[in-house]
């Protein structure tokens, strides 16, 4: 070892030993300095993503990744966070303790997500998918899929080297989801929807022994379009958006939120983008994206623009895994979107009473099927990481067989060509839980403010005060319990479906 290297290591060791039991003031000063850099990088990343989705000729999306890679490669940062986290009970200030908790999640997942080999392959695939040719040959698409499989393998191996069973579990555990609780909920949904799904099959003249993919394919499409609200024309979206929000006491015209429409990569319908919390939020969506899902993307912006935290890590930037519990953020966006789907507004859009009744009946008819299909989507990527010996086609076959009773060969075409598997790994389960979280919040709003809560300006105040303004100050489960009086109420959600 060179003399200079020895001196550096000795100095680093002395520095680290002095920070193990550092006073709160020392920790706070260090984190304040690092968070200024962190926020600047998050803002750069937000702008890069915005430019990459809204400007097809823009080509600077890799600059922030290189900077993040260098930032998280800082041995002093990583060791300080590790030392403080493992001595967290010695930190007296609750807010500072929370910041250290979040930093520990961030630097842990960064060791995987910003590993040079992993992030550079991810960047290569993002460029390829952003210009994906839907008419490309199956052979060409399978070549792309093999590269995505390689990315999955690299992530898995790196996560295992950190002591995790697999990459998917690393993601869940560092984004607010206990894996034991998660498996319990999946099993509960399976159990509670099974009879309802068998009943659904009987209504389409099938049983669990003879149902085929062709039988359920029309309903797969229907579940993806249950909330399309097709009667809302593009030129009416701004007007209705403002009406819905004004009626719950939120004036969007006074908020730094803007949105636009663009062609997006495969697998991406819309995207809410926090550029600078709380001062700049943007959303981009496909022109054909429904009003409901546009409101969902705007919902992300409503949450971010009402955050009052000063610490960047408590503001809730999404660009580094571990900073936010993604299921909660999708739940907040879905809470906003659900205001657009009540009969009062359906009438405003031009739906007749018979059409409104038909929509309600369709949702009820598809409820069990919808949730079991959600299980397939939620578990597909997770199972890929849990069992790397199986192909994507094998995993998909097993999930369709288990939850939908369909025996289907998925090996004839690619199964992984979606931007989400590359840029937003292990994310699909967040949409399943978002539906549950938003249901619970709307049930509480109805109880607190009456049946016409969607016309009560206090409803918006409640969302801001109880669920948005404190950012990541407390864990997401506590936020829901503090707001509604209950932990995430999975049982209540399933009971309300009346399978």
């Amino acid at each position: 070892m060179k003399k200079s290297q020895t001196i550096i290591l000795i100095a680093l060791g002395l520095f680290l030993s002095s920070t193990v039991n550092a006073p709160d003031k020392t920790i706070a000063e260090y984190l304040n300095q690092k968070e200024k850099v962190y926020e600047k990088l998050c803002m750069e990343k937000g702008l890069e993503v915005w430019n990459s989705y809204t400007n097809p000729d823009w080509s600077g999306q890799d600059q922030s990744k290189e900077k993040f890679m260098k930032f998280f490669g800082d041995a002093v940062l990583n060791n300080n966070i590790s030392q403080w986290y493992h001595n967290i009970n010695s930190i007296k200030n609750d807010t500072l303790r929370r910041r250290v908790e979040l930093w520990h999640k961030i630097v842990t997942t960064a060791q995987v997500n910003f590993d040079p080999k992993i992030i550079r392959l991810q960047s290569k695939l993002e460029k390829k998918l952003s210009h994906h040719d839907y008419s490309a040959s199956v052979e060409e698409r399978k070549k792309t899929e093999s590269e995505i499989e390689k990315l999955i393998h690299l992530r898995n191996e790196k996560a295992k080297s950190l002591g995790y069973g697999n990459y998917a579990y690393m993601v869940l555990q560092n984004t607010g989801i206990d894996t034991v609780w998660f498996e319990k909920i999946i099993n509960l949904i399976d159990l509670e929807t099974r009879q309802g799904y068998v009943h659904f099959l009987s209504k389409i003249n099938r049983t669990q022994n003879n149902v085929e993919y062709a039988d359920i394919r029309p309903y797969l499409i229907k579940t993806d379009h249950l909330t399309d609200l097709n009667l809302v024309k593009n030129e009416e979206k701004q007007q209705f958006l403002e009406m819905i929000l004004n009626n719950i006491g939120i004036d969007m015209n006074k908020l730094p939120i803007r949105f636009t429409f663009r062609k997006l990569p495969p697998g991406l319908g819309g995207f809410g983008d926090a550029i600078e919390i709380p001062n700049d939020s943007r959303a981009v969506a496909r022109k054909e994206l429904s009003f409901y899902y546009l409101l969902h993307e705007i919902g992300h912006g409503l949450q971010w623009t009402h955050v009052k935290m000063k610490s960047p890590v408590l503001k809730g930037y999404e660009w580094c895994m571990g900073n936010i519990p993604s299921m909660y953020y999708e739940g907040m966006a879905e809470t906003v979107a659900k205001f657009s789907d009540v009969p009062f507004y359906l009438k405003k859009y031009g739906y007749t009473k018979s059409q409104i009744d038909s929509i309600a009946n369709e949702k009820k008819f598809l409820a069990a099927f919808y949730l079991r299909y959600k299980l397939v989507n939620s578990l597909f990527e997770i199972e890929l990481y849990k069992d790397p010996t199986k192909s994507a086609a094998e995993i998909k076959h097993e999930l369709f067989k288990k939850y939908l009773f369909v025996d289907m060969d998925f090996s004839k075409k690619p199964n992984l060509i979606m931007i989400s598997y590359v840029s937003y790994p292990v994310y699909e389960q967040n949409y399943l839980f978002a539906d549950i979280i938003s249901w619970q919040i709307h049930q509480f709003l109805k109880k607190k403010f009456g049946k016409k809560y969607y016309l009560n300006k206090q409803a918006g105040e409640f969302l801001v005060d109880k669920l948005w303004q404190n950012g990541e100050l407390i864990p997401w489960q506590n936020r829901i319990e503090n707001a509604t009086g209950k932990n995430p109420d999975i049982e209540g959600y399933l009971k309300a479906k009346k399978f």
Side-chain angles (χ1 to χ4, degrees), residues 267-494:
L268 191 67
F271 191 80
D273 189 353
I275 307 295
E276 180 188 6
I277 302 172
N279 302 316
D280 186 355
S281 179
R282 308 177 195 182
V284 58
R286 296 175 184 269
K287 282 188 177 181
E288 63 271 22
L289 189 72
S290 76
F291 177 62
Y292 181 93
Y293 289 113
L294 175 62
L295 195 54
H296 174 103
E297 299 304 336
I298 297 296
H300 286 301
L302 294 178
Q303 181 180 1
W304 286 318
T305 54
H306 283 96
V307 170
K308 293 183 178 179
M309 294 292 99
K310 299 299 182 185
S311 159
V313 81
L314 293 180
K315 290 180 181 181
Y317 284 99
E318 65 177 318
W319 302 117
C320 295
M321 188 182 288
N323 197 162
I324 66 170
S326 300
M327 68 158 58
Y328 178 83
Y329 279 64
E330 294 300 339
M332 294 302 100
E334 195 66 6
T335 296
V336 174
K338 272 185 167 56
F339 282 104
S340 70
D341 202 27
V342 298
F344 174 83
Y345 287 118
L346 295 179
K347 291 178 185 176
K348 294 282 186 184
Y349 308 146
Y351 288 94
T352 64
K353 185 180 185 304
S354 64
Q355 287 175 316
I356 293 170
D357 291 342
S358 177
I359 291 170
N361 290 334
E362 186 83 345
K363 288 181 179 180
K364 185 176 180 180
F365 172 64
L366 292 171
F369 172 75
Y370 168 82
L371 277 175
R372 295 181 76 80
Y373 180 42
K374 282 285 187 184
L375 289 181
V376 172
N377 288 339
S378 298
L379 294 174
F380 173 61
E381 197 177 359
I382 292 172
E383 293 300 320
L384 273 175
Y385 285 106
K386 285 173 67 176
D387 192 347
T389 66
K390 293 179 180 176
S391 69
E394 288 175 299
I395 295 292
K396 203 167 187 178
H397 172 267
E398 290 177 0
L399 291 172
F400 265 79
K401 184 69 175 173
K402 180 176 181 178
Y403 294 111
L404 300 175
F405 312 147
V406 169
D407 192 350
M408 174 76 177
D409 179 7
F410 291 98
S411 64
K412 292 181 173 62
K413 61 180 182 178
N415 295 285
L416 291 173
I417 300 183
M418 287 178 61
I419 193 71
S420 57
Y421 300 143
V422 175
S423 301
Y424 314 105
V426 193
Y427 203 87
E428 193 69 30
Q429 73 284 345
N430 296 315
Y431 299 116
L432 169 64
F433 286 93
D435 198 44
I436 298 167
I437 291 167
S438 57
W439 169 85
Q440 181 171 342
I441 292 169
H442 275 262
Q443 289 299 304
F444 184 80
L445 290 173
K446 186 186 295 184
K447 179 181 176 182
K448 185 174 180 65
F449 300 116
K451 290 182 178 180
K452 294 186 177 181
Y453 65 94
Y454 46 83
L455 299 177
N456 192 318
K457 295 187 184 301
Q458 289 180 293
E461 292 176 15
F462 174 87
L463 295 175
V464 172
D465 294 343
K466 299 293 186 180
L467 296 165
W468 296 346
Q469 68 176 358
N470 290 325
E472 288 306 307
L473 184 61
I474 61 174
W476 71 272
Q477 297 95 328
N478 298 100
R479 279 173 254 174
I480 292 176
E481 184 178 12
N482 292 344
T484 68
K486 292 182 180 180
N487 281 316
D489 188 12
I490 316 294
E491 292 84 355
Y493 170 83
L494 293 170

Side-chain angles (χ1 to χ4, degrees), residues 187-201:
N187 291 333
L188 179 63
I189 295 173
D190 178 20
L191 178 67
E192 294 295 322
T193 59
R194 178 174 287 263
Q195 186 175 345
Y197 180 57
V198 170
H199 178 70
F200 164 81
L201 291 178

Side-chain angles (χ1 to χ4, degrees), residues 75-201:
V76 175
L77 169 66
N78 286 290
N79 282 284
N80 276 345
I81 298 302
S82 178
Q83 295 283 358
W84 293 334
Y85 179 74
H86 289 103
N87 290 277
I88 201 163
N89 291 331
S90 66
I91 300 176
K92 298 178 177 63
N93 183 274
D94 290 342
T95 301
L96 184 59
R97 193 180 304 123
R98 177 63 176 162
R99 288 167 69 187
V100 170
E101 287 176 0
L102 292 171
W103 268 107
H104 183 255
K105 293 175 186 290
I106 292 168
V107 299
T108 297
T109 57
Q111 291 181 60
V112 179
N113 293 329
F114 291 102
D115 174 87
K117 190 181 293 186
I118 291 171
I119 197 66
R120 284 168 185 156
L121 177 55
Q122 177 181 323
S123 295
K124 175 185 174 184
L125 285 164
E126 285 170 342
K127 288 176 183 175
K128 183 176 285 191
L129 290 175
S130 66
H131 300 95
H132 180 65
D133 182 5
Y134 288 93
S135 63
S137 67
V138 172
E139 290 75 18
E140 186 63 31
R141 296 176 72 198
K142 284 199 171 185
K143 182 180 177 182
T144 300
E145 178 159 286
S146 69
E147 291 184 287
I148 297 174
E149 288 172 343
K150 181 181 178 182
L151 178 64
I152 289 171
H153 174 76
L154 289 173
R155 285 170 174 163
N156 231 15
E157 291 306 306
K158 187 68 176 181
K160 287 179 180 179
S161 75
L162 299 179
Y164 291 94
N166 55 73
Y167 178 79
Y169 275 15
M170 183 200 79
V171 173
L172 295 177
Q173 291 167 20
N174 285 286
T175 56
I177 305 175
D178 176 79
T179 49
V180 175
W181 176 81
F182 178 78
E183 298 286 357
K184 179 182 175 183
I185 297 307
I186 295 300
N187 291 333
L188 179 63
I189 295 173
D190 178 20
L191 178 67
E192 294 295 322
T193 59
R194 178 174 287 263
Q195 186 175 345
Y197 180 57
V198 170
H199 178 70
F200 164 81
L201 291 178

